Amino acid sequence: QKEVEQNSGPLSVPEGAIASLNCTYSDRGSQSFFWYRQYSGKSPELIMFIYSNGDKEDGRFTAQLNKASQYVSLLIRDSQPSDSATYLCAVNRDDMRFGAGTRLTVKP
Amino acid sequence: AAGVIQSPRHLIKEKRETATLKCYPIPRHDTVYWYQQGPGQDPQFLISFYEKMQSDKGSIPDRFSAQQFSDYHSELNMSSLELGDSALYFCASRGTGDTGELFFGEGSRLTVL
């Protein structure tokens, strides 16, 4: 089992819809959780981080964390074509480990 | 604001040659990570350093070695290059006590012919 698993893509949503990205992790000692966005050939850039159970909202993005279920998700409201990218879930304990990423396409 | 600097940005080598990638972290960041990302793959953790000491080791081949120097910059040395080593190599840094966020460099693209 991989340390960090993400829902398999690619994921395609129409413009204006909600995109839902999911991630599970295996290490119960994980302390912090990150969502990175990566455009093709570019370096990952941080979208959000979350430490505590519950929801954390930042503009159109909402991260949700459930440590009991070892589950973290990212919701993107009012999806835009510019949101089309690969989204990487990352989990940190002593070091940062990434999931395989979910490719999101937002169609105009 | 200063970011993570990687060099070279592009590198082309022949099989069995040696390559060295350099990473200059954000000032006052004491932790450096190296990742390898093949085409269509997720970033694979290679190795990390904290305060010039190796802190963790991932899927780094024995042909690769790395170190962090007194000025906190890091170098990834790759020998006996294979075709499968062709990838984007990212360096990332973070500071102690920060949110834990990694700040990535723009990557070094290695092509092995």
Side-chain angles (χ1 to χ4, degrees), chain B residues 37-62:
Chain B
Q37 189 172 28
Q41 305 295 313
D42 57 301
Q44 291 293 312
F45 171 66
L46 293 179
I47 195 167
S48 62
F49 294 88
Y50 169 68
E51 281 291 343
K52 293 154 281 184
M53 298 288 290
Q54 180 182 309
S55 56
D56 197 10
K57 200 171 182 180
S59 53
I60 185 169
D62 292 339

Side-chain angles (χ1 to χ4, degrees), chain A residues 17-94:
Chain A
I18 295 175
S20 177
L21 305 163
N22 304 314
C23 174
T24 57
Y25 58 95
S26 60
D27 186 353
R28 282 197 172 275
S30 299
Q31 299 162 339
S32 49
F33 308 86
F34 301 80
W35 282 100
Y36 282 83
R37 177 176 63 199
Q38 187 177 26
Y39 294 110
S40 180
K42 302 295 185 181
S43 58
E45 55 179 336
L46 183 70
I47 297 295
M48 291 191 70
F49 64 88
I50 186 167
Y51 298 143
S52 305
N53 278 327
D55 295 358
K56 180 181 179 182
E57 187 174 318
D58 183 2
R60 297 186 294 110
F61 299 94
T62 299
Q64 298 173 317
L65 175 61
N66 184 324
K67 289 186 178 180
S69 301
Q70 296 174 241
Y71 172 89
V72 58
S73 67
L74 179 70
L75 298 178
I76 306 174
R77 291 181 300 281
D78 189 24
S79 296
Q80 302 296 309
S82 60
D83 295 326
S84 299
T86 295
Y87 289 80
L88 299 163
C89 172
V91 174
N92 182 64
R93 184 174 183 179
D94 299 316

Side-chain angles (χ1 to χ4, degrees), chain B:
Chain B
V4 178
I5 306 296
Q6 290 188 245
S7 68
R9 293 292 312 282
H10 300 274
L11 191 59
I12 299 175
K13 290 286 186 179
E14 301 275 345
K15 280 189 345 182
R16 292 178 289 277
E17 285 191 321
T18 297
T20 298
L21 305 180
K22 297 184 179 182
C23 170
Y24 296 85
I26 291 173
R28 293 184 295 283
H29 279 193
D30 50 17
T31 304
V32 167
Y33 295 79
W34 284 98
Y35 290 88
Q36 177 193 58
Q37 189 172 28
Q41 305 295 313
D42 57 301
Q44 291 293 312
F45 171 66
L46 293 179
I47 195 167
S48 62
F49 294 88
Y50 169 68
E51 281 291 343
K52 293 154 281 184
M53 298 288 290
Q54 180 182 309
S55 56
D56 197 10
K57 200 171 182 180
S59 53
I60 185 169
D62 292 339
R63 300 177 289 107
F64 292 11
S65 64
Q67 57 182 322
Q68 186 179 31
F69 294 86
S70 58
D71 64 350
Y72 294 99
H73 94 273
S74 179
E75 295 185 4
L76 177 66
N77 299 293
M78 300 174 284
S79 62
S80 303
L81 286 170
E82 302 173 357
L83 296 178
D85 296 329
S86 296
L88 201 51
Y89 290 82
F90 288 111
C91 171
S93 74
R94 69 177 173 192
T96 303
D98 286 358
T99 60
E101 174 189 358
L102 289 185
F103 293 83
F104 283 84
E106 295 194 354
S108 293
R109 183 171 294 283
L110 172 66
T111 301
V112 181
L113 302 176

